[in-house]
Amino acid sequence: RLLDWERRFDMICRNEPVDDMDRALAMYIQRNDDLELSPFVDMISGMKEDTVQNRTISNMAELDEYAYQVAGTVGLMLLPLLNANVEQSRDAAIALGKAIQLINILRDASPDVALGRVYLPQDMLKAEGVSTEDVLQLKSSPEYRKVVAAVADRAESLLMEAEMGKSTLPGVGPLFVQIIVELYREYLIKLEQIGYDNLNLSGERVKIKTIQKLMASFKAATKVLTQQ
């Protein structure tokens, strides 16, 4: 299927869409001269990596690159829709996408294990004496949780970068970004509250309550309004 998407995207770039959905994307690209094609290509590359059985990540640099490929690229694709200056907003958009992906990786550790996937950096796990097999067996040791905390810290630094760069967006863009930042920060708070133990036998992802989501949105709106 990914090969088919790749083929169709090549056709879109040649202005030869095969259906209405491809035609809409082709028009979107044509109407936005500052929209690069590389994010689309990079996203497909990242998705290809996930087709490998027993998926693992070597180090934080590789995890950062993967987060860019599957989520940072989305941020870049959305900038024209927000009428943003792509050059000015580029770094913040990538940071927000990467933060979302890292946090989702931490939230989805148990479901990913069920698929044979371990996205925490192998070198960091090894340095703490944790093997891939330990993770696949849902062994949540203090050493394992230390690695989870380190990745959570990286995600928070990316949220802060996105938060600082939100002012480059016009209109409701800053509010849009702040809501996402506050929402995903709540997931980091939840992870900290459970001692970064994101492995469970039920296979469920880490969740927050609806009231927390509502409060995050309220906090975001308050921050944006007070900064204006």
Side-chain angles (χ1 to χ4, degrees):
R1 187 173 182 179
L2 281 174
L3 292 175
D4 182 54
W5 287 354
E6 193 169 27
R7 177 186 62 81
R8 289 175 60 169
F9 184 68
D10 286 340
M11 295 180 69
I12 288 171
C13 293
R14 297 196 303 268
N15 199 23
E16 299 174 2
V18 299
D19 58 21
D20 289 343
M21 182 175 68
D22 288 3
R23 194 169 295 108
L25 178 56
M27 292 178 62
Y28 180 65
I29 292 173
Q30 291 169 10
R31 290 173 179 173
N32 295 280
D33 296 333
D34 53 354
L35 177 62
E36 301 174 357
L37 298 179
S38 57
F40 297 91
V41 176
D42 293 340
M43 174 179 278
I44 292 173
S45 296
M47 294 173 71
K48 281 183 177 179
E49 293 294 328
D50 276 339
T51 63
V52 178
Q53 284 191 336
N54 303 318
R55 175 80 160 108
T56 58
I57 297 285
S58 298
N59 49 47
M60 184 63 83
E62 184 180 337
L63 181 58
D64 237 38
E65 175 64 14
Y66 170 71
Y68 158 73
Q69 288 176 323
V70 299
T73 52
V74 177
L76 293 178
M77 294 173 194
L78 288 175
L79 289 179
L81 285 176
L82 297 171
N83 294 318
N85 182 306
V86 174
E87 189 61 33
Q88 291 181 359
S89 303
R90 177 184 179 85
D91 290 345
I94 292 175
L96 183 59
K98 287 166 60 174
I100 290 171
Q101 184 61 28
L102 291 186
I103 294 169
N104 282 338
I105 283 173
L106 297 180
R107 294 176 61 206
D108 292 338
S110 293
D112 283 335
V113 161
L115 297 172
R117 298 172 178 173
V118 178
Y119 287 102
L120 292 181
Q122 291 292 304
D123 63 340
M124 294 174 67
L125 291 171
K126 185 177 181 180
E128 295 298 331
V130 179
S131 69
T132 301
E133 190 60 32
D134 289 335
V135 181
L136 292 175
Q137 292 180 5
L138 300 176
K139 295 180 179 179
S140 182
S141 62
E143 293 77 18
Y144 168 82
R145 295 193 292 273
K146 184 177 178 180
V147 177
V148 175
V151 175
D153 286 344
R154 171 59 179 155
E156 172 58 28
S157 70
L158 289 166
L159 287 179
M160 291 176 64
E161 182 179 348
E163 189 173 22
M164 292 176 62
K166 70 179 184 294
S167 60
T168 63
L169 296 174
V172 298
L175 176 59
F176 173 72
V177 170
Q178 194 68 51
I179 289 174
I180 295 175
V181 167
E182 297 299 340
L183 175 61
Y184 274 83
R185 197 166 267 154
E186 286 295 321
Y187 288 116
L188 291 179
I189 292 172
K190 177 66 175 181
L191 282 162
E192 183 178 14
Q193 289 174 342
I194 61 176
Y196 298 104
D197 182 4
N198 60 352
L199 296 177
N200 58 76
L201 296 177
S202 67
E204 292 186 354
R205 66 190 326 210
V206 175
K207 300 177 182 178
I208 60 175
K209 296 179 180 179
T210 301
I211 186 64
Q212 292 172 282
K213 296 178 183 179
L214 294 173
M215 289 302 297
S217 297
F218 178 76
K219 184 186 296 184
T222 301
K223 280 189 176 182
V224 171
L225 288 173
T226 55
Q227 289 169 0
Q228 289 181 344

